């Protein structure tokens, strides 16, 4: 984990503990903003001096001193003091959706509730009755929030697991004697959340690889170790398993440890019908016992009478049937993306300026790049017409200045409870594109939410419906809507549905993508970047798109600029 991420997490904890212990709201917000700024800062903070740290947005003298203290000693003294004042379980209570820090402290002080389990028991026993601010509706919301938290369990977001896996694979691949190394499992299938990380390697020096694995800086605990498999746990609690297999069995092992249980059952059934036996060691002839395929995944699938099936499809959701029929889709890839159509700058809640974000986007090889800062209805961002017009003028000045990359000026509009958006038509007409998203009133009844989303799609200036379900994985469920009606409206109005690549959103989900695809909807895979390090999040959106069976032509930001701009101008 980068020092930026470590310190960002500590500052976020500091903010939570301040809020729980009753600190002034402004002070809490200072640390929340600093946490986001440090976590999203492009440079490695471990290499910065005091002046460099204070050059990070929202980091002043006091916070810089705390960061320096942590980098020098591995701890922040005042944070340690706050931890002694607040039981760890009370902070975990704040992870329950709809339960904020102040209410968590009320529960602790008034009812002695110091864990999520204790809260669930208190609700069941009626011990919240009579507590100010905790009526029957609040109890219902808390019960639902606890269910969401429990469903998330010990699984971690895709992005966090990928960061660990990338680091492990890089270290093991560089270790002496390693021939090949890759991650497998649900991570390779790009699932929204991951229970553990499976890493495979080939080597004739397995003990040396295992020893190198257990010495990695991210390892907090060695769970078990052996000649062919070792399991460790990181400080964040994520289990990582390393398996070392013979080079000749690489393909069979990768196929076996990548597919879901249901997918693997189907492939083994196919093997049985062909008089074969499939395992992580290879594909064998049952009668003779001879190994007939194991070196590559392609070999294994081919001997089963199947084409190679992309990892993101290996869930037994129709991929076997499509493979047998020769109708597997040619899935969109990250290399197909020509641009990013939903990003933010420090004009609203981003952490970097327009020039820095544009330069970073150009460095990623984009042909076009859209800046879409928040509109004024999201009051906390303090957007005004004047600010937006000034940004537009600057975007026009910089257009083409970064290796010829086309800069598009857009906005992320707020869909109000009735389906309206921030600006009138004459103002919206000046934007190159408008993304419209739900940022409030997530609890609207199903019929009202459906009408709200459909009306937004019917606005001729809205070209992308941003993070359509509003979900935050493990924290907020998708809004309730008649999704088929919404998808049909998007197809009818020519509104693209976004796949927001932020790892805690991945919205639309793969399941919704597949449903929407059946309506003939177009999609946009966007980073929703609020800082330079967020721009690579597109890989996660692409993974979700692949799980939704999308091809490149169905994604508008794979299109050449002229085709894209034609789409954005249609009917507006």
């Amino acid at each position: 984990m980068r020092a930026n991420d470590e310190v960002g997490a500590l500052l976020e904890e500091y903010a939570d503990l301040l809020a729980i212990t009753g600190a002034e709201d402004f002070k809490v917000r200072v640390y929340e903003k600093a946490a986001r700024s440090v976590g999203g800062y492009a440079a490695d903070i471990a290499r910065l001096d005091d002046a460099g740290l204070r050059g990070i947005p929202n980091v002043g003298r006091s916070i810089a001193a705390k960061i320096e203290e942590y980098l020098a000693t591995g701890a922040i003294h005042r944070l340690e003091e706050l931890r002694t004042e607040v039981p760890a379980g009370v902070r975990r209570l704040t992870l329950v959706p709809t339960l904020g820090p102040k209410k968590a402290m009320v529960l602790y002080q008034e009812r002695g509730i110091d864990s999520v389990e204790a809260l669930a028991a208190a609700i069941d026993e009626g011990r919240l009755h009579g507590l100010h601010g905790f009526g029957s509706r609040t109890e219902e919301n808390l019960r639902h929030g606890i269910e969401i938290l429990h469903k998330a369990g010990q699984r971690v977001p895709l992005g966090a697991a990928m960061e660990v896996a990338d680091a492990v694979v890089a270290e093991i691949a560089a270790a002496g004697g390693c021939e090949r190394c890759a991650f497998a499992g649900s991570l390779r299938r790009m699932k929204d959340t991951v229970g553990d990380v499976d890493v495979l390697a080939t080597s004739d020096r397995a003990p040396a690889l295992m020893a190198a694995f257990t010495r990695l800086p991210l390892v907090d605990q060695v769970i078990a170790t052996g000649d062919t498999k070792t399991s460790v746990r990181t400080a964040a609690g994520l289990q990582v398993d390393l398996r070392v297999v013979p080079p000749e069995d690489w393909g069979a092992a990768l196929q076996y440890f990548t597919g879901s249980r249901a997918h693997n059952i189907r492939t083994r059934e196919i093997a049985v019908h062909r008089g074969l036996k499939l395992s992580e060691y290879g594909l064998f002839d049952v009668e003779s016992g001879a190994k007939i395929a194991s070196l590559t995944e392609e070999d294994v699938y081919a001997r089963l009478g199947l084409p190679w099936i992309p990892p993101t499809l290996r869930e037994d959701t129709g991929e076997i049937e499509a493979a047998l029929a020769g109708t597997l889709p040619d899935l969109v890839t990250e290399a197909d993306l020509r641009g990013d159509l939903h990003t933010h700058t420090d004009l609203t809640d981003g952490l970097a300026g327009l020039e820095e974000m544009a330069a970073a986007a150009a460095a990623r090889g984009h042909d076009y790049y859209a800046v879409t800062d928040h509109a004024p209805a999201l009051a906390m961002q303090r957007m005004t017409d004047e600010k937006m017009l000034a940004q537009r003028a600057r975007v026009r000045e910089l257009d083409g200045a970064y290796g010829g990359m086309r800069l598009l000026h857009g906005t992320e509009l707020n869909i109000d409870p009735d389906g309206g958006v921030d600006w009138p038509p004459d103002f919206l007409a000046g934007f190159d594109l408008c993304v419209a998203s739900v940022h409030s009133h997530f609890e609207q009844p199903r019929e009202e939410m459906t009408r709200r989303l459909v009306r937004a799609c019917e606005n001729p200036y809205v070209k992308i419906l941003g993070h359509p379900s509003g979900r935050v994985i493990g924290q907020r469920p998708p809004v309730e809507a008649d999704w088929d009606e919404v998808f049909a409206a998007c197809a009818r109005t020519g509104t693209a549905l976004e796949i927001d690549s932020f790892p805690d959103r991945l919205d639309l989900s793969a399941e919704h993508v597949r449903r929407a695809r059946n309506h003939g909807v177009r999609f946009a895979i966007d980073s929703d970047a609020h800082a330079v390090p967020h721009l690579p999040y597109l890989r996660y959106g692409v993974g979700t798109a692949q799980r939704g069976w999308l091809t490149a032509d169905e994604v508008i930001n794979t299109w050449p600029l002229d085709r894209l701009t034609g789409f954005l101008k249609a009917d507006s």
Side-chain angles (χ1 to χ4, degrees):
M1 181 182 289
R2 296 189 314 154
N4 302 46
D5 299 317
E6 294 175 1
V7 173
L10 291 173
L11 294 176
E12 184 177 351
E13 180 184 359
Y14 195 99
D16 287 346
L17 295 180
L18 286 176
I20 291 170
T21 53
E24 301 93 330
D25 288 346
F26 83 88
K27 190 172 184 180
V28 174
R29 287 196 296 272
V30 164
Y31 279 90
E32 288 175 340
K33 290 179 179 179
R36 292 180 59 247
S37 294
V38 170
Y41 198 62
D44 183 355
I45 64 168
R47 300 182 179 182
L48 300 180
D49 58 14
D50 181 69
L53 291 173
R54 290 169 64 180
I56 301 173
N58 303 308
V59 173
R61 180 181 295 107
S62 176
I63 294 177
K66 288 181 174 63
I67 295 173
E68 288 181 298
E69 180 186 3
Y70 175 76
L71 294 175
T73 69
I76 300 174
H77 178 68
R78 178 55 186 148
L79 176 59
E80 297 298 326
E81 290 181 337
L82 285 170
R83 284 171 171 169
T84 65
E85 298 174 24
V86 180
V90 175
R91 184 174 183 242
R92 180 161 171 76
L93 282 174
T94 65
L95 299 179
V96 177
T98 75
L99 183 59
K102 292 181 179 178
K103 282 194 171 183
M105 198 60 172
V106 168
L107 290 172
Y108 176 60
Q109 293 175 332
E110 300 294 327
R111 295 292 188 269
I113 296 171
D114 60 0
S115 68
V116 175
E117 294 71 24
L119 174 59
I123 295 173
D124 291 340
E125 296 164 6
R127 291 195 289 116
L128 300 191
H129 295 171
L131 188 59
H132 180 69
F134 290 86
S136 58
R137 181 63 185 272
T138 300
E139 286 191 17
E140 181 183 336
N141 289 339
L142 289 176
R143 194 186 302 276
H144 186 48
I146 291 171
E147 290 176 4
I148 293 172
L149 193 62
H150 283 164
K151 284 180 181 177
Q154 296 302 311
R155 298 181 70 83
V156 303
L158 175 63
M162 188 67 77
E163 184 177 337
V164 170
D166 283 343
V168 171
V169 169
E171 293 282 357
I172 297 302
C178 180
E179 298 179 18
R180 303 180 74 171
C181 188
F183 55 80
S186 57
L187 183 62
R188 190 173 178 226
R189 302 199 308 277
M190 298 294 279
K191 290 201 69 171
D192 299 346
T193 60
V194 174
D196 53 34
V197 171
D198 295 303
V199 177
L200 298 180
T202 61
S203 175
D204 56 5
R205 296 171 53 191
L209 285 195
M210 296 303 183
F213 178 51
T214 60
R215 291 196 298 267
L216 293 180
L218 56 78
V219 173
D220 183 66
Q221 176 189 3
V222 177
I223 301 171
T225 185
D227 291 339
T228 59
K229 178 185 175 184
T230 292
S231 298
V232 303
R233 184 169 287 114
T234 70
L238 179 62
Q239 181 171 325
V240 184
D241 298 332
L242 172 64
R243 291 178 173 85
V244 179
V245 300
E248 63 271 17
D249 292 344
W250 171 256
L254 192 58
Q255 190 278 333
Y256 182 87
F257 288 110
T258 293
S260 69
R261 181 174 181 272
H263 176 87
N264 286 351
I265 288 174
R266 294 293 304 280
T267 54
R268 288 199 296 271
E269 288 174 347
I270 292 172
V272 169
H273 288 310
R274 290 173 170 262
L276 305 172
K277 178 182 178 182
L278 178 63
S279 72
E280 64 266 42
Y281 305 108
L283 187 62
F284 299 86
D285 181 86
V286 171
E287 188 172 330
S288 67
K291 182 186 292 186
I292 61 175
S294 65
L295 183 61
T296 69
E297 287 190 314
E298 288 81 359
D299 290 341
V300 172
Y301 279 111
R303 295 305 294 265
L304 292 173
L306 299 168
W308 179 80
I309 298 176
T312 45
L313 298 187
R314 299 180 196 176
E315 298 284 1
D316 191 27
T317 54
E319 74 279 4
I320 298 292
E321 291 77 8
L324 289 170
T327 58
L328 281 173
D330 186 7
L331 297 177
V332 63
T333 68
E334 191 174 357
D336 293 321
L337 299 185
R338 296 172 182 255
D340 197 342
L341 301 178
H342 179 181
T343 68
H344 298 272
T345 75
D346 59 3
L347 184 62
T348 54
D349 59 346
L351 302 176
L354 169 62
E355 291 83 355
E356 185 179 355
M357 292 296 287
R364 292 184 58 78
H366 288 327
D367 294 339
Y368 44 80
Y369 176 75
V371 175
T372 56
D373 277 313
H374 289 287
L378 206 61
M380 68 183 72
Q381 306 305 336
R382 301 179 180 178
M383 178 56 73
T384 65
D385 294 8
E386 293 74 21
K387 286 182 180 179
M388 189 58 85
L389 291 173
Q391 184 187 62
R392 181 176 300 163
R394 184 59 177 155
V395 167
R396 301 295 184 237
E397 290 175 8
L398 294 173
D399 187 20
Y402 298 94
M405 182 180 72
R406 177 70 189 277
L407 272 179
L408 302 173
H409 189 238
T411 183
E412 184 179 12
L413 301 167
N414 306 282
I415 304 174
D416 68 28
D418 295 324
V421 296
D422 304 70
W423 277 299
D426 60 341
F427 197 89
L428 295 178
F431 290 103
D432 295 318
L433 78 158
C434 294
V435 180
S437 310
V438 170
H439 291 112
S440 65
H441 300 83
F442 298 103
E443 303 298 327
Q444 271 188 307
R446 186 172 187 265
E447 290 185 4
E448 292 181 18
M449 184 62 74
T450 302
R451 286 196 299 270
R452 179 183 184 182
L453 293 172
V454 169
R455 185 183 171 208
C457 292
E458 291 173 340
N459 186 313
Y461 295 98
V462 171
K463 293 305 176 185
I464 300 174
L465 192 61
H467 44 77
S469 82
R471 75 169 182 172
V472 179
I473 298 170
Q475 300 177 48
R476 185 172 65 220
V479 298
E480 292 288 336
D482 182 337
W483 288 110
D484 287 306
E485 184 175 341
V486 173
F487 299 154
C490 288
R492 170 171 51 84
T493 61
T495 306
L497 283 163
E498 180 177 69
I499 300 174
D500 188 306
S501 302
F502 230 81
D504 58 357
R505 285 191 182 273
L506 298 179
D507 183 13
L508 285 175
S509 68
E511 293 76 15
H512 276 155
V513 169
R514 290 192 69 178
R515 282 176 62 182
R517 185 174 185 254
N518 291 333
H519 288 271
V521 177
R522 298 296 191 182
F523 299 84
I525 301 173
D526 302 322
S527 69
D528 194 4
H530 286 65
V532 169
H534 300 163
L535 292 172
Y537 285 171
L538 287 171
R539 70 187 292 195
Y540 306 126
V542 169
T544 299
Q546 291 181 344
R547 289 175 61 79
W549 291 53
L550 290 189
T551 64
D553 193 59
E554 294 170 294
V555 178
I556 64 173
N557 51 316
T558 69
W559 298 350
L561 179 62
D562 57 351
R563 184 181 177 191
L564 174 68
T565 54
F567 173 86
L568 296 176
K569 290 177 181 177
D571 300 322
S572 60

